[in-house]
Amino acid sequence: GQNIDQPTEMTATEGAIVQINCTYQTSGFNGLFWYQQHAGEAPTFLSYNVLDGLEEKGRFSSFLSRSKGYSYLLLKELQMKDSASYLCAVYTNAGKSTFGDGTTLTVKP
Amino acid sequence: ETGVTQTPRHLVMGMTNKKSLKCEQHLGHNAMYWYKQSAKKPLELMFVYSLEERVENNSVPSRFSPECPNSSHLFLHLHTLQPEDSALYLCASSQDRSRPLGNEQFFGPGTRLTVL
């Protein structure tokens, strides 16, 4: 089976930096995805990591350590519109993606 | 706009009704998915179709019946549902589920289902 852990809620200030962690235990790990979901809307793809290291995409970066079963999503220069749920999803070599419970981020002025 | 459309956006039905949810993807993807998202619960994968063949069924009750007539269309047929089935039903597609690079999923806007 798979076990994915994320913090339930986080709060940060506009303009700041926030790091959302995701730890996982799975067999046949083959990649990790991050999605953003605004309230009442569908998830949208943010990033994926297959190899160890940092992937940067504008204000958002995602990091993966396969040996530690750990990933984080880093959001810089936070904006109010970044308030949303952030879901990490683990992809296995069986072609299966499993989503974590998500982290609800609230950005305050 | 993600290239995945779902209809209807909202549906209210009684427990004895039969209804269908429709999903269409305009991205040329090979895989399609149905998810259920209840309030304050994680996304629950229900069904996966790859090249029109059902490859995953995650212990979903038989009152939910999927249909994939071609690689662009996916249906979820509903009958004799229960109030606890009220949720947001999301459809997604991905290019190629056999490799991570092609497995990023594009979601439709969802159907908000209420069962009375």
Side-chain angles (χ1 to χ4, degrees):
Chain A
Q2 298 181 48
N3 189 27
I4 303 172
D5 287 311
Q6 302 179 236
T8 304
E9 295 178 335
M10 297 183 72
T11 302
T13 305
E14 192 176 14
I17 299 173
V18 71
Q19 177 175 311
I20 302 174
N21 297 326
C22 173
T23 58
Y24 62 88
Q25 292 175 308
T26 188
S27 54
F29 175 84
N30 207 11
L32 188 142
F33 293 82
W34 283 97
Y35 290 82
Q36 179 190 59
Q37 185 176 23
H38 285 101
E41 298 181 13
T44 55
F45 167 77
L46 285 178
S47 69
Y48 76 91
N49 295 72
V50 178
L51 302 175
D52 286 358
L54 188 69
E55 294 282 342
E56 297 188 72
K57 219 181 206 183
R59 293 190 298 115
F60 293 4
S61 303
S62 57
F63 172 83
L64 176 68
S65 168
R66 294 175 69 124
S67 61
K68 294 181 180 177
Y70 167 68
S71 173
Y72 66 73
L73 181 69
L74 192 71
L75 292 75
K76 303 176 186 175
E77 302 169 18
L78 279 175
Q79 302 175 9
M80 298 299 291
K81 66 179 183 180
D82 297 330
S83 292
S85 284
Y86 291 86
L87 313 171
C88 77
V90 170
Y91 175 79
T92 70
N93 54 21
K96 180 174 180 175
S97 287
T98 302
F99 284 80
D101 291 2
T103 299
T104 300
L105 173 67
T106 302
V107 180
K108 296 187 173 179
Chain B
E1 278 294 325
T2 61
V4 182
T5 58
Q6 288 186 244
T7 54
R9 295 292 306 275
H10 300 272
L11 178 62
V12 179
M13 59 187 289
M15 289 190 284
T16 58
N17 292 157
K18 287 185 181 180
K19 296 286 183 183
S20 295
L21 309 185
K22 179 183 176 182
C23 175
E24 184 173 359
Q25 57 98 357
H26 312 273
L27 301 168
H29 287 171
N30 290 331
M32 296 188 78
Y33 311 76
W34 278 118
Y35 288 90
K36 175 184 178 182
Q37 190 172 39
S38 304
K40 298 187 178 180
K41 286 188 178 180
L43 278 172
E44 299 174 51
L45 181 63
M46 300 174 72
F47 302 103
V48 181
Y49 277 81
S50 180
L51 296 171
E52 301 155 44
E53 179 185 343
R54 191 191 309 181
V55 296
E56 201 160 331
N57 176 348
N58 281 355
S59 303
V60 179
S62 59
R63 57 186 184 269
F64 295 91
S65 174
E67 178 190 0
C68 187
N70 55 62
S71 59
S72 299
H73 293 87
L74 186 65
F75 295 89
L76 187 63
H77 303 300
L78 317 170
H79 64 98
T80 59
L81 294 192
Q82 304 298 313
E84 59 264 30
D85 296 322
S86 298
L88 180 67
Y89 289 84
L90 290 161
C91 172
S93 71
S94 66
Q95 183 178 32
D96 178 358
R97 65 187 294 273
S98 66
R99 55 191 181 89
L101 265 176
N103 200 254
E104 61 197 76
Q105 295 183 30
F106 293 79
F107 286 82
T111 295
R112 175 70 62 184
L113 174 67
T114 302
V115 181
L116 301 176

